[in-house]
Amino acid sequence: MWGLVRLLLAWLGGWGCMGHLAAPARAWAGSRGHPGPALLRTRRSWVWNQFFVIEEYAGPEPVLIGKLHSDVDRGEGRTKYLLTGEGAGTVFVIDEATGNIHVTKSLDREEKAQYVLLAQAVDRASNRPLEPPSEFIIKVQDINDNPPIFPLGPYHATVPEMSNVGTSVIQVTAHDADDPSYGNSAKLVYTILDGLPFFSVDPQTGVVRTAIPNMDRETQEEFLVVIQAKDMGGHMGGLSGSTTVTVTLSDVNDNPPKFPQSLYQFSVVETAGPGTLVGRLRAQDPDLGDNALMAYSILDGEGSEAFSISTDSQGRDGLLTVRKPLDFETRRSYSFRVEATNTLIDPAYLRRGPFKDVASVRVAVQDAPEPPAFTQAAYLLAVPENKAPGTLVGQISAADLDSPASPIRYSILPHSDPERCFSIEPEDGTIRTATLLDREARVWHNLTVLATELGWSRGLGKSWAPPLGAKWERTSSPSQRALLGALPGPQDSSAQASRVQVAIQTLDENDNAPQLAEPYDTFVCDSAAPGQLIQVIRALDRDEDGNSSRVSFQGPLGPDANFTIRDNRDGSASLLLPSRPAPPRQAPYLVPIELWDWGHPALSSTATVTVSVCRCRPDGSVASCRPEAQLSATGLSTGALLAIVTCVGALLALVVLFVALRRQKQEALMVLEEEDVRENIITYDDEGGGEEDTEAFDITALQNPDGAAPPAPGPATRRDVLPRARAPRQPRPPGPADVAQLLALRLREADEDPSVPPYDSVQVYGYEGRGSSCGSLSSLGSGSEAGGAPGPPEPLDDWGPLFRTLAELYGAKEPPGP
């Protein structure tokens, strides 16, 4: 029974009943169950609990949610209830007299779940607080008004292909804004709407897993899964939301490589060098990335010797290349097998078979026109020097590998033998000398011999061969261009020609006599003792076999010889004084020395050594030599040389002075000519060079031709043509010379002179139109006082309407009206 009482008290407190209704009940209950302590409890002025309001309620009137009442309120109307805090006066209002609390508008729990307010009872008249203020809470009760949402959707996930059933793919999470602590409004359940039977989802956690085994990426790479979240535990009436999960199957190496064909056939020209690409092979592998990388190898030995295979930079294709030179005449085809293997193999998928495949390859070697091949890579020949032209040096040989019976033509490239020292037989390759060779001038000759198949010169005759030393380039001669224009040059890859280097050594012969290493001009002191060494003499032999150590010397013989020669047997000799001293003399001694070598035949020569007898100081240095003194005596003295230089300087000074005087005299004459007045007048009269003449101007150009004096009888003359006869010059009037009268006379002569041509454009403009009956159109000829009044002009109005305006300007009468 007391439990029911407590429940009733709690309910009354929850609805805001007054304190005086709840307090006696508690006191009464306490006196019945606990008589002692219950009577001593302090009474509360307010009795209340939390108030509740349902969200989203939209009634026509404010909703009563509770009532406040104080035990000091006796119902006399003296108590006033006040409400402050969150939403007071706007969301929540209170009746000041009764304490009833109403909500005025619809509330949303998701925006605000509870409101904290402060209630107080005051005296209505004095506003004096009757009790201390008390805080209470109004909670907004939740309803299921929010559907689940996926804030992170849509989702993207990746799972390896061929995964086992139940492999976790991704976890999706939905959020419900409703209160999870009240009812099932926020209790979510996940289901798959689209994506079955490949995937499944855990209803409680939202974890997406694979539902079938062995999903193959090569069959389908991407899946779209639609997942729904529903509240109310998934029951009817609940709200739901959905999202999409894009699941991509990642690649694994579950497919072995496979050649699309079992036999590959290629061809290659025999002239292809090592490294030349023969062809490409590709084994198909539907896997991606590193799982599709492959390595290629040649299985058969014969194929690996001639060819090699490697993988391209992408790791997909096999590049078959030439490994060693091929020869069509030796072998025309190769057959071998090629294997392709995955470089990365996953042990988990070995059960799907070996990850490699084999294909057969056949390579055909094609014949190509090959240039002639020489029997040797290079030739080394020798020929003695000084042999007559036409001497045989040696022979070279080349053969056509394609057609051994085809003839070959030989020639020497001109740039390798610019001096034309050798010639070659075009048909058999025999090399002979063309000039005399000198080993001392040049030891080695490096020739380049060209061997050409006769086949690419057909049409010119079988016996045709390039001229000896002729260049392969086209020449400027039309006939030569017609003959050689179609022939490829040595640089043309299509020309069937090959080259070889021929080194020819010039062998030495004993054709040079020994000579002194340098001219020897020495001296000996007049006080030298007999047998003293004067000079060591050395000899040279330009021949290869004529070593300087094998040169012999021989000097003057006999008892009267002034000097003696001693052969040192090492290519040198010593010049010595004889046992008796040489007699003194003014001129130097010329000592003849004979030199010969040990060649076959032996060659010899005679040289001369000059020895002067000089007076020496005690230390052995030369003080003076008699030959120098003799030269000084016979030569010019220093004073004579100074006299000659002085005479030459004096002559030069006279010439300069004479030239200066003549130049000064000419300048003086030119000044006098400029001061002559008559010369100025004549010069001015003759000037008149037109517009370019800036010093004088011919005023006659402005004269009116019609105002001039009548021309002399005879044919009319033109002003722009020089006449054959010049007008006679008028005599000068007698009496004293009057400059003004003279100028007027000369001006009149210039005006009447028909030989004066026009000097400027004004004169030409003034004479314009003299051939017309209307005369000149220039204003220079109108109203001239000097020329008098002009004659009656031709009526301009008779010229027609085109000249009507001109006639009006010249004062012509208006044509009479109709």
Side-chain angles (χ1 to χ4, degrees):
M1 179 177 179
W2 292 113
L4 294 175
V5 173
R6 292 190 185 96
L7 180 62
L8 178 62
L9 292 176
W11 181 81
L12 290 174
W15 284 96
C17 296
M18 295 185 303
H20 72 278
L21 293 178
R26 287 197 301 272
W28 175 72
S31 65
R32 298 281 296 186
H34 305 281
L39 295 176
L40 298 177
R41 292 176 60 185
T42 304
R43 284 174 41 183
R44 290 186 57 185
S45 299
W46 296 93
V47 178
W48 56 273
N49 205 337
Q50 293 180 347
F51 296 119
F52 294 91
V53 59
I54 300 176
E55 68 171 332
E56 304 294 344
Y57 179 79
E61 296 179 359
V63 179
L64 176 64
I65 61 174
K67 183 177 182 178
L68 298 177
H69 193 74
S70 175
D71 54 0
V72 299
D73 187 2
R74 304 298 181 180
E76 299 174 354
R78 298 177 58 185
T79 303
K80 182 172 66 175
Y81 296 95
L82 300 178
L83 184 67
T84 59
E86 298 177 341
T90 57
V91 179
F92 306 101
V93 295
I94 188 170
D95 191 338
E96 295 180 351
T98 63
N100 293 331
I101 301 176
H102 295 79
V103 61
T104 61
K105 64 178 182 179
S106 177
L107 301 180
D108 188 1
R109 189 199 68 84
E110 285 71 36
E111 292 183 1
K112 192 171 182 63
Q114 65 181 14
Y115 295 85
V116 179
L117 294 100
L118 193 66
Q120 189 176 16
V122 299
D123 184 81
R124 182 178 296 276
S126 62
N127 286 332
R128 179 178 59 83
L130 300 177
E131 288 184 359
S134 180
E135 185 180 77
F136 67 96
I137 298 174
I138 299 177
K139 287 191 175 182
V140 182
Q141 189 174 354
D142 181 59
I143 63 173
N144 190 17
D145 60 341
N146 291 282
I149 61 172
F150 293 89
L152 300 179
Y155 296 88
H156 294 270
T158 302
V159 64
E161 64 173 332
M162 310 304 292
S163 297
N164 297 326
V165 176
T167 302
S168 177
V169 178
I170 194 174
Q171 182 178 12
V172 296
T173 303
H175 288 234
D176 196 324
D178 293 328
D179 189 1
S181 62
Y182 180 78
N184 294 328
S185 299
K187 186 177 181 180
L188 304 180
V189 175
Y190 299 95
T191 58
I192 289 184
L193 300 182
D194 191 7
L196 297 174
F198 304 103
F199 300 94
S200 64
V201 63
D202 189 298
Q204 305 301 325
T205 62
V207 176
V208 181
R209 302 178 186 276
T210 59
I212 62 173
N214 300 329
M215 285 190 295
D216 191 7
R217 184 199 64 83
E218 288 73 30
T219 303
Q220 184 176 350
E221 184 177 4
E222 191 174 87
F223 297 86
L224 184 64
V225 181
V226 180
I227 298 178
Q228 182 190 63
K230 190 174 183 180
D231 58 12
M232 299 299 292
H235 296 90
M236 293 186 63
L239 303 178
S240 64
S242 62
T243 186
T244 60
V245 180
T246 303
V247 182
T248 303
L249 298 182
S250 61
D251 184 66
V252 297
N253 192 9
D254 59 339
N255 294 281
K258 184 69 176 178
F259 283 105
Q261 58 192 65
S262 60
L263 177 63
Y264 291 85
Q265 294 186 359
F266 303 101
S267 61
V268 62
V269 182
E270 63 174 337
T271 55
T276 303
L277 180 64
V278 178
R280 288 176 175 262
L281 296 86
R282 168 174 285 194
Q284 296 179 353
D285 190 338
D287 294 327
L288 298 177
D290 296 341
N291 296 322
L293 298 179
M294 284 173 285
Y296 295 86
S297 60
I298 299 177
L299 300 181
D300 301 321
E302 68 174 16
S304 60
E305 294 179 359
F307 303 94
S308 60
I309 190 169
S310 60
T311 309
D312 65 351
S313 58
Q314 285 75 28
R316 302 301 298 270
D317 292 352
L319 306 179
L320 186 64
T321 56
V322 178
R323 185 173 185 179
K324 69 175 185 179
L326 305 176
D327 188 7
F328 174 80
E329 289 74 21
T330 303
R331 186 166 185 175
R332 301 190 177 187
S333 66
Y334 294 85
S335 297
F336 49 90
R337 293 177 302 160
V338 173
E339 182 182 68
T341 307
N342 278 134
T343 56
L344 298 177
I345 300 177
D346 193 344
Y349 303 100
L350 287 177
R351 65 183 184 277
R352 301 183 65 87
F355 286 81
K356 59 184 177 180
D357 194 18
V358 178
S360 299
V361 177
R362 185 177 183 275
V363 180
V365 181
Q366 295 180 350
D367 187 21
E370 298 179 82
F374 288 94
T375 57
Q376 300 180 20
Y379 291 86
L380 179 60
L381 306 177
V383 61
E385 65 175 333
N386 300 323
K387 295 297 182 181
T391 301
L392 177 64
V393 179
Q395 185 178 12
I396 63 174
S397 177
D400 187 358
L401 300 180
D402 299 323
S403 178
S406 178
I408 304 297
R409 290 295 180 265
Y410 304 91
S411 62
I412 299 176
L413 293 184
H415 70 273
S416 64
D417 186 20
E419 299 176 357
R420 304 294 189 272
C421 297
F422 301 92
S423 63
I424 189 171
E425 290 293 335
E427 297 181 356
D428 60 2
T430 301
I431 299 178
R432 300 179 181 274
T433 60
T435 59
L436 289 176
L437 303 180
D438 187 5
R439 190 204 67 84
E440 287 70 33
R442 188 174 179 181
V443 180
W444 289 96
H445 298 266
N446 297 313
L447 307 181
T448 301
V449 177
L450 186 71
T452 309
E453 294 179 6
L454 191 59
W456 64 280
S457 61
R458 57 180 177 269
L460 302 177
K462 293 184 177 181
S463 60
W464 181 89
L468 182 63
K471 293 185 177 180
W472 290 105
E473 291 80 2
R474 297 185 181 183
T475 59
S476 58
S477 172
S479 60
Q480 292 178 349
R481 285 200 301 267
L483 181 63
L484 300 177
L487 299 180
Q491 304 297 332
D492 193 348
S493 59
S494 62
Q496 299 307 307
S498 57
R499 305 182 184 186
V500 71
Q501 297 296 324
V502 179
I504 301 177
Q505 181 183 9
T506 306
L507 301 179
D508 184 60
E509 289 187 351
N510 191 22
D511 58 344
N512 291 278
Q515 298 177 353
L516 293 180
E518 58 180 285
Y520 290 96
D521 189 354
T522 184
F523 71 95
V524 61
C525 296
D526 53 2
S527 60
Q532 180 178 349
L533 175 64
I534 300 176
Q535 180 73 42
V536 176
I537 302 170
R538 299 188 179 277
L540 294 177
D541 194 336
R542 297 177 58 194
D543 291 326
E544 182 179 11
D545 294 336
N547 196 324
S548 59
S549 62
R550 303 188 61 186
V551 177
S552 299
F553 299 83
Q554 183 176 352
L557 301 176
D560 297 334
N562 296 323
F563 301 92
T564 60
I565 297 296
R566 183 182 64 195
D567 193 349
N568 298 328
R569 304 297 181 180
D570 60 353
S572 65
S574 299
L575 179 62
L576 306 173
L577 280 176
S579 57
R580 57 180 181 82
R585 51 184 287 180
Q586 297 295 333
Y589 291 92
L590 300 178
V591 182
I593 301 176
E594 185 178 1
L595 304 92
W596 69 90
D597 57 19
W598 293 72
H600 299 284
L603 299 179
S604 62
S605 64
T606 302
T608 302
V609 177
T610 303
V611 181
S612 301
V613 179
C614 302
R615 186 174 68 253
C616 299
R617 298 184 180 91
D619 58 355
S621 60
V622 177
S624 63
C625 289
R626 293 186 179 88
E628 295 180 359
Q630 185 178 4
L631 288 174
S632 301
T634 57
L636 296 176
S637 63
T638 304
L641 292 175
L642 292 176
I644 293 175
V645 171
T646 303
C647 294
V648 172
L651 290 175
L652 291 175
L654 291 176
V655 171
V656 171
L657 179 61
F658 178 75
V659 172
L661 291 176
R662 287 183 57 86
R663 183 174 298 175
Q664 182 178 5
K665 181 178 180 181
Q666 291 178 359
E667 292 178 355
L669 293 176
M670 293 174 63
V671 172
L672 295 175
E673 291 176 358
E674 292 179 357
E675 294 177 355
D676 193 349
V677 177
R678 291 174 299 174
E679 291 294 331
N680 288 337
I681 295 174
I682 295 174
T683 300
Y684 181 82
D685 189 24
D686 292 340
E687 286 180 353
E691 295 176 355
E692 297 180 358
D693 187 3
T694 58
E695 297 181 359
F697 185 80
D698 188 6
I699 196 65
T700 60
L702 301 178
Q703 296 296 329
N704 182 16
D706 297 331
T717 59
R718 293 176 58 182
R719 292 296 181 119
D720 56 348
V721 177
L722 185 65
R724 296 182 179 274
R726 186 179 180 89
R729 193 178 185 88
Q730 296 183 5
R732 180 178 177 181
D738 189 356
V739 176
Q741 184 178 2
L742 181 61
L743 290 177
L745 177 62
R746 293 292 181 259
L747 180 61
R748 190 182 308 111
E749 290 178 355
D751 291 341
E752 297 176 357
D753 191 357
S755 63
V756 177
Y759 287 96
D760 49 29
S761 59
V762 177
Q763 183 181 8
V764 174
Y765 180 80
Y767 294 156
E768 195 176 44
R770 284 188 61 87
S772 174
S773 59
C774 63
S776 174
L777 299 180
S778 173
S779 60
L780 299 177
S782 60
S784 176
E785 296 179 0
E794 184 179 355
L796 297 179
D797 51 2
D798 295 339
W799 289 8
L802 296 177
F803 293 85
R804 178 176 302 172
T805 303
L806 184 62
E808 294 174 1
L809 294 175
Y810 276 84
K813 295 181 179 181
E814 293 285 335

